Amino acid sequence: GAIGDAQAIPPLIQALQDEVWDVRRAACEALEAIGDAQAIPHLVQALQNEDSWVRYAACRALGAIGDAQAIPHLIQALQDEHRWVRRAACEALGAIGDAQAIPYLIQALQDEDSGVRRAACEALGRIGDAHAIPHLAQALQDWYSGVRAAACEALGAIGDAHAIPHLAQALKDESSWVRKAACEALGAIGDAQAVPHLAQALKDESSWVRKAAC
């Protein structure tokens, strides 16, 4: 994988059938490093592997290759029983960046695992479609501050001024991490209507929030 030579792809594909799960996982990682689309059908098959860490590595490899033909299979992986696989599926869909994944990532914002919800926010931000804004605004009410911060970052990445009222509300969040992320997102959007809210954040009790507002 580190050498990156496509000549290694056929034997690595064979290694996806190895009896040892860690070899199968390592084969996925090597195919991820090489990044050649000819591995996609075999990595898709690895998404059904009995070992969850092989499925996780297959998701990551498909995201790194970045080909849209993997999207339906990664969408299915959003229902995997293992949370790390679901997280990796979100990340892969974000890396591919195709809008057809948006409805399924929106569903993933309701996942029982906070890490999956956070990954779904990040993926929606990477795709950058404004249709996700209302759903990311709802994620600003998540109980976990990491999800709320990721929702702020995603809204900033989308860059649409319709997110400003929601981010302005997030400037009142109990978590300084979230308030900082809201400041940065407002700055990323770059619309002058955010200025009064950022000016108010200059009085925040947290120095890193005030710095972000500046």
Side-chain angles (χ1 to χ4, degrees):
I3 294 170
D5 194 320
Q7 294 181 72
I9 293 174
L12 286 169
I13 287 171
Q14 287 185 337
L16 290 173
Q17 306 302 320
D18 195 275
E19 63 181 8
V20 179
W21 73 269
D22 206 26
V23 174
R24 301 194 300 272
R25 178 193 57 79
C28 289
E29 292 174 351
L31 290 167
E32 174 186 356
I34 295 171
D36 192 299
Q38 65 177 296
I40 290 175
H42 308 281
L43 290 166
V44 164
Q45 192 173 9
L47 291 176
Q48 306 302 319
N49 195 275
E50 62 184 10
D51 188 88
S52 60
W53 291 111
V54 175
R55 300 195 303 273
Y56 167 83
C59 285
R60 288 183 57 88
L62 289 167
I65 293 170
D67 193 301
Q69 65 179 297
I71 290 175
H73 308 285
L74 290 166
I75 286 171
Q76 287 185 331
L78 291 174
Q79 305 301 319
D80 196 276
E81 63 183 1
H82 196 291
R83 60 180 180 168
W84 288 101
V85 178
R86 300 197 302 275
R87 291 186 198 184
C90 287
E91 292 166 358
L93 289 167
I96 294 171
D98 192 299
Q100 65 179 293
I102 290 175
Y104 305 96
L105 290 167
I106 286 171
Q107 290 180 356
L109 292 174
Q110 306 300 320
D111 195 275
E112 64 182 4
D113 180 71
S114 61
V116 175
R117 299 196 302 274
R118 182 175 179 179
C121 288
E122 293 168 350
L124 288 166
R126 292 189 72 175
I127 294 172
D129 192 301
H131 287 96
I133 290 176
H135 307 282
L136 290 166
Q138 286 186 328
L140 292 173
Q141 307 303 316
D142 196 278
W143 67 265
Y144 177 50
S145 60
V147 174
R148 301 197 302 274
C152 287
E153 292 165 4
L155 289 168
I158 292 170
D160 191 297
H162 287 95
I164 290 176
H166 306 295
L167 290 166
Q169 191 65 32
L171 290 173
K172 303 173 184 176
D173 195 276
E174 64 182 3
S175 167
S176 60
W177 178 18
V178 176
R179 299 197 302 275
K180 174 179 179 288
C183 286
E184 292 170 345
L186 289 167
I189 293 171
D191 191 294
Q193 63 179 299
V195 171
H197 306 292
L198 290 167
Q200 188 66 30
L202 292 172
K203 303 174 184 177
D204 195 276
E205 64 182 5
S206 168
S207 61
W208 68 335
V209 175
R210 299 195 301 272
K211 180 178 179 181
C214 288

